[in-house]
Amino acid sequence: MAKLTGWRYGMFVGGIVAAIGAALFPITIYPMLNLEEFRKIQAANRAQIRQEEVQPGNMKVWSDPFGRK
């Protein structure tokens, strides 16, 4: 195999970075840009789940620790 030097090395490293970026885009950046769409999906998926029934070990249902009491 030929040794990569100069612009070929730069293209090789750039290609790897681009491939990683292309793989991570739909996982990390796209949901942040389209919040409402993913909120609707999450609400539909959780509509039939009662949190009190699935809470393990009779623990208190999660509440906002920064909310006023």
Side-chain angles (χ1 to χ4, degrees):
M1 185 165 144
K3 188 174 181 181
L4 297 176
T5 58
W7 67 271
R8 289 187 177 131
Y9 179 75
M11 291 296 287
F12 178 72
V13 172
I16 291 175
V17 170
I20 292 171
L24 291 178
F25 176 79
I27 299 169
T28 57
I29 298 170
Y30 184 75
M32 289 183 206
L33 296 176
N34 301 300
L35 288 176
E36 289 303 317
E37 177 184 349
F38 283 89
R39 284 185 181 148
K40 289 178 188 175
I41 293 169
Q42 187 177 39
N45 288 339
R46 295 182 179 186
Q48 311 236 341
I49 297 174
R50 292 191 64 221
Q51 190 173 7
E52 294 84 12
E53 292 177 359
V54 297
Q55 189 72 20
N58 296 326
M59 295 174 69
K60 184 177 96 170
V61 175
W62 184 85
S63 60
D64 188 2
F66 302 106
R68 297 180 186 246
K69 295 184 178 184

